[in-house]
Amino acid sequence: MQKLLYGVAYYDEYMPYDRLEKDIGMMKDAGINVVRIAESTWSTHEPQNGVFDFTSVNRVLDAMHEAGIKVIVGTPTYAVPTWMVKEHPDVLAITPQGPGRYGARQIMDITNPTYLFYAERIIRKLIGHVKDHPAVIGYQTDNETKHYNTSGPNVQLAFVKYMREKFETLERVNAAFGLDYWSNRINSWEDFPSVVGTINGSLGAEFAKFQRKLVTDFLTWQVAIVNEYKHNDQFVTQNFDFEWRGYSYGIQPKVDHFEAAKAFDLAGVDIYHPSQDDLTGIEISFGGDVARSMKGSNYLVIETEAQAFVNWVPYPGQLRLQAFSHLASGANMVAYWHWHSIHNSFETYWKGLLSHDFEPNPVYNEAKTIGRDFKRLSPQLVNLQKKNKVAVLVSNESLTAIEWFKFNFASSKNYNDVVRMMYDELYKMNIGCDFVHPASENLEDYTLLVVPALYTASDSLLERLNEFVKNGGHIVYSFKSGFTDENVKVRTTRQPGMISEACGITYSMFVEPKNVSLKGDPFEVEAEDNYIETWMELITPTTAEVLAYYDHPHWGQYAAITQNHYGKGIATYIGCMTSPAIMKKVLEHAVKQADLWGADQNLEFPLITKSGINQSGKVVRYYFNYSDCPASFEYPHNDGVELLTEAAIQSEQAVEVDAWGVIIIEEN
């Protein structure tokens, strides 16, 4: 990537009247240099079975090329046309809720041979048609791909085959998943029941892992087809998304990001987040850190919000703040969903840069300033390289297992709530993070690992984590780690299983806390922040130092939070779901012990700083103010130049950041 990309999704097919020429003029005024097309309009490109019409694609490609705007072409496979469902209703996914019905997107069975036949045909026709066009710089396969809960008879047969190849014998399956319980034992492969109705969480979690593999296989298959056509100077990417809570929240439960990303040239990601008074930058940072970690390189923000609904319309200055926030995590592209607001159907109020009148508005006018700055500063800001010493270990397997075995019957909290609590507090302390996963080969690159709720893990992974500490690393575990093996079978030893050795603790009982705090307020938080909720383990230290005991008339003898020197390193164990304020103090303590506390930690949210090395070898430091009030700080690093204003900045100089503002300093 030689320059920053600033883009939009564009659908000439959606326009109520012909305005392509005017749109392109407004795009150029806004500094838009890339558009994404085609992935949502299969029924336009193939209006009838085997009848292809790429008129709209040609029209946009030619016009964009003439204007000097590059194009990313998407394979239009995530929303199937009506003729396909009429002729082949079996292409719709059968889910636990029953047979699919036509109407929404992402309703097909991604393993169905008929669907795959038509998908391959449209991919080959479209990509073969556009591959030589000079405007095309890359391709996106599908869109926010997931498995859509497909679990019909064909998927069940494939799952049985997968189980047979993995375990070889039913005896091993029955033993691994405890299927003697409630007469669930399977004595013949032909009798293997549908997993849709299972009450066995271990087997259910294995099926979820298999479904994630279906996504990896499907995307890898698409990439292989596109690779037959793409040129060496074109890329293939995918817009991965996250657990959705009205915005991008946590690790996606239905995709293994790290495994699925292997097939792609570049990682791409969709990030949506709260705005206005709720804009913190955390979701931008979280999504960006995950995307950068997928392939260990710069990534593309393929979709993010411009304006939408009443709560996503940004305050003045926030669109700029958001755009540069993406760059600070290593993004090389920021693109909006989408250019124009549409006038009917499901996303009518998911507004683009332009509102329904298609005229300039304050959001569009602010985008123009971003486009100018991206173009001017591209040499200094593109290809930012980041080297973090802290990583968060995330596990799709633990996420799924905790869905089956929730923290307690009443709690709505899930795995991602633990991930986000730990990540959010690191973010607020300006601790840069990468993400790793159980199969990562680079754990030893980090000084501190943060391990949220690693409920299911193989012996080999836990041994590796013990070795990490023994060799001088620092780990902070949350509760419910080390509990079950890779098949979600509870270990027969005292908990927390094999990591007891490094953590220096054991426990055999856990309870739902009621009116529990930490004895003596050891972390000196506000009274209202000294609480425990959701889950608590009654810990007995063996060699560990107790950082906090529970304050409770019956549980007060048990440790809540411990640390243990093991070999050359330290393992901290948090045996309960704490308040965010307590979590912050525990993580701060661990960061200091790992000797990672520096000048940037003198700042804290809402002043956020991120840094990296640009392609000229210079340090670039971003400073963001996620608040409605101006903020100031004493700049602690080497002299440099503030890139947006070109003002000289000296070490120890007082610097002010406007409300919802950003400054960018390139060190001399």
Short mmCIF file of all heavy atoms in Angstrom, two decimals, residues 116-146:
data_model
loop_
_atom_site.label_atom_id
_atom_site.label_comp_id
_atom_site.label_asym_id
_atom_site.label_seq_id
_atom_site.Cartn_x
_atom_site.Cartn_y
_atom_site.Cartn_z
N LEU A 116 -23.30 -23.25 -4.13
CA LEU A 116 -21.87 -23.10 -4.46
C LEU A 116 -21.66 -23.09 -5.97
O LEU A 116 -20.78 -22.37 -6.47
CB LEU A 116 -21.07 -24.22 -3.80
CG LEU A 116 -21.00 -24.18 -2.27
CD1 LEU A 116 -20.31 -25.44 -1.75
CD2 LEU A 116 -20.29 -22.94 -1.77
N PHE A 117 -22.45 -23.86 -6.71
CA PHE A 117 -22.35 -23.84 -8.17
C PHE A 117 -22.64 -22.44 -8.71
O PHE A 117 -21.88 -21.89 -9.51
CB PHE A 117 -23.31 -24.86 -8.78
CG PHE A 117 -23.48 -24.71 -10.27
CD1 PHE A 117 -22.55 -25.26 -11.14
CD2 PHE A 117 -24.56 -24.00 -10.80
CE1 PHE A 117 -22.69 -25.12 -12.52
CE2 PHE A 117 -24.70 -23.85 -12.17
CZ PHE A 117 -23.77 -24.40 -13.03
N TYR A 118 -23.77 -21.87 -8.26
CA TYR A 118 -24.14 -20.54 -8.75
C TYR A 118 -23.19 -19.46 -8.23
O TYR A 118 -22.88 -18.50 -8.95
CB TYR A 118 -25.58 -20.22 -8.36
CG TYR A 118 -26.60 -21.02 -9.11
CD1 TYR A 118 -27.54 -21.80 -8.43
CD2 TYR A 118 -26.64 -21.01 -10.50
CE1 TYR A 118 -28.49 -22.55 -9.12
CE2 TYR A 118 -27.59 -21.75 -11.20
CZ TYR A 118 -28.51 -22.51 -10.50
OH TYR A 118 -29.44 -23.25 -11.20
N ALA A 119 -22.73 -19.62 -6.98
CA ALA A 119 -21.78 -18.65 -6.43
C ALA A 119 -20.48 -18.64 -7.23
O ALA A 119 -19.95 -17.58 -7.58
CB ALA A 119 -21.51 -18.96 -4.96
N GLU A 120 -19.98 -19.83 -7.54
CA GLU A 120 -18.74 -19.90 -8.32
C GLU A 120 -18.95 -19.28 -9.70
O GLU A 120 -18.08 -18.57 -10.21
CB GLU A 120 -18.27 -21.34 -8.45
CG GLU A 120 -17.00 -21.47 -9.29
CD GLU A 120 -16.40 -22.85 -9.30
OE1 GLU A 120 -16.92 -23.73 -8.58
OE2 GLU A 120 -15.40 -23.06 -10.02
N ARG A 121 -20.11 -19.53 -10.29
CA ARG A 121 -20.35 -19.00 -11.63
C ARG A 121 -20.38 -17.47 -11.64
O ARG A 121 -19.74 -16.84 -12.49
CB ARG A 121 -21.67 -19.56 -12.18
CG ARG A 121 -21.88 -19.23 -13.65
CD ARG A 121 -23.10 -19.92 -14.20
NE ARG A 121 -24.35 -19.36 -13.67
CZ ARG A 121 -25.57 -19.80 -14.02
NH1 ARG A 121 -25.69 -20.81 -14.88
NH2 ARG A 121 -26.65 -19.25 -13.50
N ILE A 122 -21.07 -16.86 -10.66
CA ILE A 122 -21.13 -15.39 -10.66
C ILE A 122 -19.76 -14.80 -10.30
O ILE A 122 -19.37 -13.76 -10.83
CB ILE A 122 -22.23 -14.87 -9.71
CG1 ILE A 122 -22.42 -13.35 -9.87
CG2 ILE A 122 -21.92 -15.17 -8.26
CD1 ILE A 122 -22.90 -12.92 -11.23
N ILE A 123 -19.02 -15.47 -9.42
CA ILE A 123 -17.67 -14.98 -9.10
C ILE A 123 -16.81 -14.98 -10.36
O ILE A 123 -16.14 -13.99 -10.68
CB ILE A 123 -17.02 -15.84 -7.99
CG1 ILE A 123 -17.74 -15.68 -6.66
CG2 ILE A 123 -15.54 -15.46 -7.83
CD1 ILE A 123 -17.32 -16.70 -5.61
N ARG A 124 -16.82 -16.08 -11.07
CA ARG A 124 -15.97 -16.18 -12.27
C ARG A 124 -16.42 -15.19 -13.34
O ARG A 124 -15.58 -14.56 -14.01
CB ARG A 124 -15.99 -17.61 -12.81
CG ARG A 124 -15.26 -18.61 -11.90
CD ARG A 124 -15.11 -19.97 -12.57
NE ARG A 124 -14.44 -20.92 -11.68
CZ ARG A 124 -13.13 -20.99 -11.51
NH1 ARG A 124 -12.33 -20.15 -12.18
NH2 ARG A 124 -12.60 -21.89 -10.70
N LYS A 125 -17.72 -15.07 -13.53
CA LYS A 125 -18.22 -14.13 -14.55
C LYS A 125 -17.85 -12.69 -14.19
O LYS A 125 -17.36 -11.94 -15.04
CB LYS A 125 -19.74 -14.27 -14.68
CG LYS A 125 -20.21 -15.56 -15.31
CD LYS A 125 -19.93 -15.59 -16.81
CE LYS A 125 -20.55 -16.82 -17.45
NZ LYS A 125 -20.27 -16.87 -18.92
N LEU A 126 -18.08 -12.30 -12.94
CA LEU A 126 -17.83 -10.91 -12.54
C LEU A 126 -16.34 -10.60 -12.48
O LEU A 126 -15.88 -9.61 -13.07
CB LEU A 126 -18.49 -10.64 -11.18
CG LEU A 126 -18.21 -9.25 -10.58
CD1 LEU A 126 -18.75 -8.15 -11.49
CD2 LEU A 126 -18.81 -9.13 -9.19
N ILE A 127 -15.58 -11.42 -11.77
CA ILE A 127 -14.16 -11.12 -11.60
C ILE A 127 -13.43 -11.26 -12.94
O ILE A 127 -12.54 -10.46 -13.26
CB ILE A 127 -13.52 -12.02 -10.53
CG1 ILE A 127 -14.29 -11.90 -9.19
CG2 ILE A 127 -12.06 -11.65 -10.33
CD1 ILE A 127 -14.43 -10.49 -8.67
N GLY A 128 -13.82 -12.25 -13.74
CA GLY A 128 -13.24 -12.36 -15.07
C GLY A 128 -13.55 -11.15 -15.92
O GLY A 128 -12.73 -10.74 -16.77
N HIS A 129 -14.71 -10.55 -15.69
CA HIS A 129 -15.12 -9.37 -16.47
C HIS A 129 -14.35 -8.11 -16.08
O HIS A 129 -14.04 -7.29 -16.94
CB HIS A 129 -16.63 -9.15 -16.26
CG HIS A 129 -17.19 -8.01 -17.04
ND1 HIS A 129 -17.48 -8.10 -18.39
CD2 HIS A 129 -17.49 -6.74 -16.67
CE1 HIS A 129 -17.96 -6.94 -18.81
NE2 HIS A 129 -17.98 -6.10 -17.79
N VAL A 130 -14.02 -7.97 -14.78
CA VAL A 130 -13.45 -6.70 -14.30
C VAL A 130 -11.94 -6.75 -14.09
O VAL A 130 -11.31 -5.72 -13.86
CB VAL A 130 -14.12 -6.26 -12.98
CG1 VAL A 130 -15.63 -6.17 -13.15
CG2 VAL A 130 -13.77 -7.20 -11.82
N LYS A 131 -11.34 -7.93 -14.14
CA LYS A 131 -9.96 -8.09 -13.66
C LYS A 131 -8.95 -7.19 -14.37
O LYS A 131 -7.95 -6.77 -13.78
CB LYS A 131 -9.53 -9.55 -13.79
CG LYS A 131 -9.41 -10.06 -15.23
CD LYS A 131 -9.04 -11.54 -15.26
CE LYS A 131 -8.98 -12.07 -16.68
NZ LYS A 131 -7.90 -11.45 -17.47
N ASP A 132 -9.19 -6.90 -15.64
CA ASP A 132 -8.23 -6.11 -16.41
C ASP A 132 -8.56 -4.62 -16.41
O ASP A 132 -7.84 -3.84 -17.04
CB ASP A 132 -8.17 -6.61 -17.86
CG ASP A 132 -7.65 -8.04 -17.94
OD1 ASP A 132 -6.76 -8.40 -17.14
OD2 ASP A 132 -8.14 -8.79 -18.80
N HIS A 133 -9.61 -4.24 -15.73
CA HIS A 133 -9.98 -2.82 -15.74
C HIS A 133 -8.97 -2.04 -14.90
O HIS A 133 -8.67 -2.42 -13.76
CB HIS A 133 -11.39 -2.62 -15.19
CG HIS A 133 -11.97 -1.29 -15.58
ND1 HIS A 133 -11.54 -0.10 -15.03
CD2 HIS A 133 -12.93 -0.97 -16.48
CE1 HIS A 133 -12.23 0.89 -15.57
NE2 HIS A 133 -13.08 0.39 -16.46
N PRO A 134 -8.44 -0.95 -15.39
CA PRO A 134 -7.39 -0.23 -14.67
C PRO A 134 -7.84 0.42 -13.37
O PRO A 134 -6.99 0.80 -12.55
CB PRO A 134 -6.94 0.84 -15.68
CG PRO A 134 -8.08 0.97 -16.64
CD PRO A 134 -8.71 -0.37 -16.73
N ALA A 135 -9.13 0.52 -13.14
CA ALA A 135 -9.60 1.12 -11.89
C ALA A 135 -9.55 0.14 -10.73
O ALA A 135 -9.53 0.55 -9.56
CB ALA A 135 -11.04 1.62 -12.05
N VAL A 136 -9.52 -1.17 -11.03
CA VAL A 136 -9.68 -2.19 -9.98
C VAL A 136 -8.35 -2.43 -9.27
O VAL A 136 -7.37 -2.82 -9.89
CB VAL A 136 -10.21 -3.50 -10.57
CG1 VAL A 136 -10.29 -4.58 -9.49
CG2 VAL A 136 -11.58 -3.28 -11.21
N ILE A 137 -8.34 -2.20 -7.95
CA ILE A 137 -7.13 -2.45 -7.16
C ILE A 137 -7.25 -3.69 -6.29
O ILE A 137 -6.25 -4.18 -5.76
CB ILE A 137 -6.76 -1.25 -6.28
CG1 ILE A 137 -7.89 -0.93 -5.29
CG2 ILE A 137 -6.40 -0.04 -7.12
CD1 ILE A 137 -7.49 0.07 -4.21
N GLY A 138 -8.46 -4.19 -6.11
CA GLY A 138 -8.60 -5.34 -5.23
C GLY A 138 -10.01 -5.88 -5.22
O GLY A 138 -10.93 -5.34 -5.86
N TYR A 139 -10.19 -6.95 -4.44
CA TYR A 139 -11.46 -7.67 -4.38
C TYR A 139 -11.80 -7.98 -2.93
O TYR A 139 -10.93 -8.23 -2.10
CB TYR A 139 -11.37 -8.97 -5.18
CG TYR A 139 -10.87 -8.76 -6.59
CD1 TYR A 139 -9.52 -8.94 -6.90
CD2 TYR A 139 -11.74 -8.35 -7.59
CE1 TYR A 139 -9.06 -8.73 -8.19
CE2 TYR A 139 -11.28 -8.14 -8.88
CZ TYR A 139 -9.94 -8.32 -9.17
OH TYR A 139 -9.47 -8.09 -10.44
N GLN A 140 -13.08 -7.95 -2.66
CA GLN A 140 -13.60 -8.39 -1.36
C GLN A 140 -14.45 -9.62 -1.59
O GLN A 140 -15.36 -9.61 -2.42
CB GLN A 140 -14.45 -7.29 -0.73
CG GLN A 140 -15.16 -7.72 0.54
CD GLN A 140 -16.25 -6.75 0.94
OE1 GLN A 140 -16.00 -5.55 1.04
NE2 GLN A 140 -17.46 -7.25 1.14
N THR A 141 -14.16 -10.71 -0.88
CA THR A 141 -14.98 -11.90 -1.02
C THR A 141 -16.17 -11.85 -0.07
O THR A 141 -16.01 -11.63 1.14
CB THR A 141 -14.17 -13.17 -0.72
OG1 THR A 141 -13.67 -13.11 0.61
CG2 THR A 141 -13.01 -13.32 -1.68
N ASP A 142 -17.36 -12.01 -0.65
CA ASP A 142 -18.58 -12.08 0.15
C ASP A 142 -18.71 -10.82 1.02
O ASP A 142 -18.21 -9.75 0.64
CB ASP A 142 -18.60 -13.38 0.97
CG ASP A 142 -19.98 -13.85 1.33
OD1 ASP A 142 -20.74 -14.19 0.42
OD2 ASP A 142 -20.30 -13.88 2.53
N ASN A 143 -19.33 -10.95 2.18
CA ASN A 143 -19.56 -9.77 3.02
C ASN A 143 -19.90 -10.22 4.44
O ASN A 143 -20.87 -10.95 4.63
CB ASN A 143 -20.73 -8.95 2.46
CG ASN A 143 -21.06 -7.74 3.31
OD1 ASN A 143 -20.36 -6.72 3.25
ND2 ASN A 143 -22.12 -7.83 4.11
N GLU A 144 -19.07 -9.82 5.40
CA GLU A 144 -19.34 -10.14 6.81
C GLU A 144 -19.76 -11.61 6.96
O GLU A 144 -20.76 -11.93 7.63
CB GLU A 144 -20.40 -9.21 7.38
CG GLU A 144 -19.97 -7.76 7.44
CD GLU A 144 -21.04 -6.83 8.03
OE1 GLU A 144 -22.23 -7.21 8.05
OE2 GLU A 144 -20.68 -5.73 8.47
N THR A 145 -19.01 -12.48 6.36
CA THR A 145 -19.40 -13.88 6.24
C THR A 145 -19.45 -14.57 7.60
O THR A 145 -18.55 -14.42 8.42
CB THR A 145 -18.40 -14.62 5.34
OG1 THR A 145 -18.21 -13.85 4.14
CG2 THR A 145 -18.90 -16.00 4.98
N LYS A 146 -20.50 -15.37 7.78
CA LYS A 146 -20.65 -16.22 8.96
C LYS A 146 -21.32 -17.51 8.50
O LYS A 146 -21.60 -17.68 7.31
CB LYS A 146 -21.46 -15.49 10.03
CG LYS A 146 -20.70 -14.30 10.63
CD LYS A 146 -21.53 -13.50 11.61
CE LYS A 146 -22.47 -12.53 10.93
NZ LYS A 146 -21.76 -11.44 10.21
#
